[in-house]
Amino acid sequence: MESEGNSQGGARVITVSSGKGGVGKTTATANLGISLASLGNRVAVIDADIGLRNLDIIMGLENRIVYDLVDVVEGRSKLRQAMIKHKKFDDLFLIPAAQTRDKMAVSPEDMTRVTEELREDFDYILIDSPAGIERGFRNALEPADEVLIVTNPEVSAVRDADRIVGLIEAAEKGPGRLIINRLKTDLVRKGEMLSSDDVYDILGLAIIGIIPEDEAVLSASNSGIPVALNMNSQAGMAFSHVARRIMGEDVPFMNLDGNPGIFRRLMRLFDGR
Amino acid sequence: MPEELIAIKGSNDGLLISLSTTEKWQSVTDELARRIDDKRAFFTGAAIVVELGARPVPKYELSSLKALLERRGLSLSLVRSDSDTTRQSARALELKSSSNGSPARSTRRYAEAMPANPEEAGGRGVIFRRTLRSGRTIHSEGHVVVFGDVNPGAKVIAAGDVIVWGKLRGTVHAGALGDETAVVCALDMNPGQLRIASYIVTSPPGKRGKILPEIASIRDNQIVVEARD
């Protein structure tokens, strides 16, 4: 993995990005943070979506916010004061976004400064990138050692992911690895949804996780108890597998991934595909 | 024509348009407008670098040039000039400017890595050694070779031929300045839209047969795609 090492030592900074909104970036960030922490890592999660903060809600920490990222950047608070400890994991911290400002309040250099300050004390720093390709995305990209791209198995999300990957490559942050979120196995079987193979065919990126559609995700987000804490849910399981792959383990993909069965593969052979 | 009013070629920063330093400003800009209107498809969406040489260009003239380009959907990304007057005009209009020999360089790394206008440009030809992803455009006055795929949403526009050593799924325009002998080759030919000179076709929808390298060219006033074996 070329992105494994980081020159500075300490934490690895991983930015979660997508281009298109609503594909599940924030949900993925929260769940990966929880999963990594539950596997014994020291984790900081930063919400870089200034103006539209969500990560605190999904992690169930909304009511504990006193200071936020903009307060830190503008010197109104120390970084430590803005870090909110998770209720369940002592080594998991959130740095929330400001709600009253916009993305111009933070610069890419500010983000680098904040992550440099955190690197020594953590194993992983996750950054939740806002949708779009403008300033907010650049803020989130600048300090990254690696980028995870979240996409849904649908044409418009894949197109936006492709655009983002182009920008990530141009910034020399590697091509990144892919999380395919909200895959509906039954639809893929019927040929009504893109399969993970189809997505790979277009983007040509290594896939680090395939998260099945799971109603537990929605109720978990609403209640502030991320699905990664629920090992009975397939999505929770899938996120925990992604976390272990981030840590360098070789975890086989669950057998639900909507890859075409042997029959369709044979059909493709006859098709010459 | 005694002296060329305008010269157009590819550069690292976009399409480089050199304007005569001696002819009347009005006739130079008229000629520029005519040339662009003539070959709309070639210029579409391009970033323009204007080379003005030693000619001092006052603010109102530069501003009318900028408007002329913008009306045609082109952005004036850089003004190159040896004249202080011209560079002052550029600054007043918040345009990037540079004197010759010292190309404008952005100081911020991220701005450089992600240019506002994600284009590649080249003079005689361009070789692009990776997959061309959605939102990117290659313009060339010569031929274009892509070692990789051209994804949906990406565009290749060339005055000459286009060769894709990979899957062609985006939009491609060969012979964009009117050369009807230009061709498009791809290992897997399935473009969103394929143009040669002024002819346009789209890929037929539905199942495709065996995938072979194919070549598209104009024959009997239409675009024909055939396998090469």
Side-chain angles (χ1 to χ4, degrees), chain A residues 23-24 28 31-32 148-154 177-186 188-189 193-201 203 205-214 217 227 233-246 251-260 265:
Chain A
V23 298
N31 283 294
L32 290 179
L148 300 183
I149 298 109
V150 182
T151 191
N152 295 153
E154 49 181 79
R177 288 189 279 178
L178 193 67
I179 297 176
I180 301 175
N181 194 22
R182 307 192 68 173
L183 190 87
K184 293 181 186 152
T185 325
D186 49 334
V188 173
R189 261 191 225 115
M193 185 179 246
L194 297 180
S195 72
S196 53
D197 278 3
D198 296 333
V199 176
Y200 178 81
D201 193 40
L203 296 176
L205 289 190
I207 296 175
I208 193 175
I210 300 168
I211 318 293
E213 176 80 357
D214 185 344
V217 174
V227 74
S233 97
Q234 284 198 313
M237 196 67 147
F239 276 121
S240 140
H241 286 178
V242 177
R244 284 164 58 193
R245 288 186 196 112
I246 289 175
V251 190
F253 281 84
M254 288 192 278
N255 191 20
L256 50 76
D257 59 1
N259 272 320
R265 281 190 197 278

Side-chain angles (χ1 to χ4, degrees), chain A residues 107-109 135 137-138 141-142 159 162-163 165-167 169-171 173 201-205 267 271-272, chain B residues 108-111 113-116 118 130-136 149 151-153 167 169 207-211:
Chain A
S107 73
E109 290 76 12
R135 177 66 166 269
F137 166 66
R138 290 179 186 186
L141 184 61
E142 181 73 12
R159 185 71 60 90
D162 193 40
R163 179 88 170 93
V165 175
L167 297 176
E169 282 172 349
K173 298 284 187 184
D201 193 40
I202 297 173
L203 296 176
L205 289 190
M267 293 280 287
D271 268 6
Chain B
R108 288 159 92 93
R109 196 174 61 79
Y110 70 93
M114 283 188 278
R130 55 162 49 143
T131 290
L132 191 66
R133 295 185 182 276
S134 175
R136 297 205 68 170
D149 301 341
N151 279 358
K167 291 174 260 194
R169 293 200 186 92
K207 280 215 158 179
R208 305 173 58 216
K210 198 161 189 264
I211 288 165

Side-chain angles (χ1 to χ4, degrees), chain A residues 13-19 24-30 32-33 45-46 48 125-131 137 140-141 144 146-150 164 179 246:
Chain A
V13 179
I14 301 174
T15 293
V16 181
S17 198
S18 72
K25 266 184 310 298
T26 304
T27 307
T29 312
L32 290 179
V45 226
I46 305 177
I125 300 170
L126 302 183
I127 302 177
D128 183 20
S129 160
F137 166 66
L141 184 61
E146 176 174 10
V147 185
L148 300 183
I149 298 109
V150 182
I164 283 285
I179 297 176
I246 289 175

Side-chain angles (χ1 to χ4, degrees), chain A residues 16-133:
Chain A
V16 181
S17 198
S18 72
K20 189 172 179 296
V23 298
K25 266 184 310 298
T26 304
T27 307
T29 312
N31 283 294
L32 290 179
I34 299 262
S35 299
L36 284 167
S38 72
L39 291 164
N41 296 290
R42 297 165 300 166
V43 183
V45 226
I46 305 177
D47 189 348
D49 198 354
I50 316 285
L52 293 167
R53 73 178 183 212
N54 285 141
L55 189 54
D56 50 315
I57 302 175
I58 292 180
M59 293 181 76
L61 300 172
E62 188 187 7
N63 298 330
R64 305 187 177 196
I65 296 176
V66 181
Y67 294 109
D68 57 47
L69 184 59
V70 175
D71 290 323
V72 174
V73 164
E74 295 182 350
R76 278 187 298 277
S77 94
K78 293 244 189 318
L79 186 52
R80 288 276 150 200
Q81 293 174 295
M83 290 166 55
I84 306 168
K85 197 192 323 173
H86 192 261
K87 296 169 193 169
K88 195 153 181 259
F89 300 102
D90 287 345
D91 281 332
L92 174 61
F93 291 86
L94 166 73
I95 299 171
Q99 209 156 22
T100 50
R101 301 287 296 275
D102 68 29
K103 283 153 188 97
M104 302 310 279
V106 175
S107 73
E109 290 76 12
D110 292 331
M111 289 300 288
T112 304
R113 222 170 332 112
V114 169
T115 51
E116 285 314 306
E117 201 178 328
L118 291 170
R119 263 186 209 270
E120 273 179 37
D121 300 327
F122 290 93
D123 300 310
Y124 293 97
I125 300 170
L126 302 183
I127 302 177
D128 183 20
S129 160
I133 56 174

